[in-house]
Every structure is written in C-alpha cells, then in structure tokens.
Amino acid sequence: MMTGFYINAQEVEPTKPEATELYKPVPPKVTPGENGAPPSDAIVLFDGTSLDKWMSAADSTDAKWVLNKDGSMTVKDKTGDIVTKQNFGSIQLHIEWKSPAEVQRDGQNRGNSGIFLNGLYEVQVLDNNDNDTYVNGQVASIYKQHTPLAMASVPTGEWNTYDIIYHAPEFEKGQKVKSGTLTVIHNGVLVQDHVEIKGTTPYIGWPKNPPHGKGPLRLQDHGDNSRVSFRNIWVRELN
C-alpha cells in the first residue's frame, strides 16, 4: 500500500502539483467519542457493566475482581491477574486507573498494578506521589527498561489516564527480527516516546524474547492489597 512518495534524487522533480497528489487509498472514517466515550471503531473491553470480556490469567475461569457501582473495577487481592478473552497484536489502548485515596505503605507496595501489552510487556501503574522508588520502575515506566520522560500523576485517589500506542515485535523462524515499540501519554503528557521494547519485563533478570503472535491485554494483581481500580478500557487494532 502506497502512503506517500519515495523521493529519488536522480529523478526529475515534478513541475505540476497533481504529480505529487494522492487520491487512494482513502482513509476510513472514524467518529471521535464525546465526553470520554470511545471512538466508533473501538473494541470496548470494559464499560463498567460487567467483566464478561475478562478471565483469570491463571486458569481461564471468570474474572474475580470487584465490579463497582461507579462503573469501575478494583483488583480483588490475591485472586490473580486478569486477561482479555480476545487476543490482540498492535493496538491503540485507552485505560483509566486510580490508586486508593487511603495511602498505605511505600515504595513498590503502594497502589501497584501493571498493564501488560501482549500479556508480556508491562507499563507500570504505581502511586508515586511523595513516594520515591527506582525510576525505571516508577509510574508510567516500561518496567525495568525505560524511565518515563516526566512524572505526570494526578493526586492520589484521583483518576489517571494512559493512552498507549503499541507496535508488536516481529518474529521469523523463532527469532525476533524487529523490536516492538511503545508510546505512552499519561494524563495528556508524553512520557514514553516510541521506545524500543527490549523483551519481556521481569522483576529479576534480563528481558527475554520468546516468539509469539497476538496475545491478551493483562492487568496485574500485585498481591499486596494495592486496591487499584480501572475504568473505561478500549482498544483500536492497528493491524
């Protein structure tokens, strides 16, 4: 698919405007959402009415997190991570989250969760307000790989927004031939600028690059009663 012109310095430069005008392919029309609603081509993963599009990451049973009356869901401590029933490759993701207003503990044990693209690559969720930690593990980091360009959190207990562009890595014959990338906008602030995904994002050890295709979106139960809540989750597929 041609989306632009390849400029060859050896070719004669066009002298008419129509020589550099494209009329096909015509981009599809997408109706933007109003007042925080998703756009017309989005796949809504959580709208506050049910957890039907999610399941337990451990055993594929029904998701056991708490469905709240305000249209959010909250991690139910020690019930495990949850994943989408649908798998995705490259996506645009919108997700909103908040830590509990009641401050508890410090460091990595305060309002900790995570958003894993393809189920493997974590964008950190953490209450970092007056709560320092290692910078490649702070809020909006690509965990243990990329420190965010800024700390853009709202006050503890208020809703944060992540808008994430994820391009999946590519594999051939079991080997990675192209790294994936992540762009993260946190509350309207660019904090990860098309950074290279070096591999998985483990707590201990180096990134690994197991070959994979599409995978689920995964949300983390940190197992320490962090009580992080999520709402308004949707994606747009990019391939």
Side-chain angles (χ1 to χ4, degrees), residues 52-66:
D52 288 350
K53 295 187 178 180
W54 300 81
M55 61 185 179
S56 166
D59 57 14
S60 299
T61 57
D62 291 343
K64 299 174 180 65
W65 289 14
V66 179

Side-chain angles (χ1 to χ4, degrees), residues 156-177:
T156 300
E158 296 184 11
W159 286 101
N160 289 269
T161 297
Y162 280 170
D163 288 290
I164 297 171
I165 307 298
Y166 165 64
H167 289 282
E170 298 177 10
F171 298 87
E172 291 182 3
K173 298 180 180 179
Q175 299 295 317
K176 185 174 75 172
V177 296

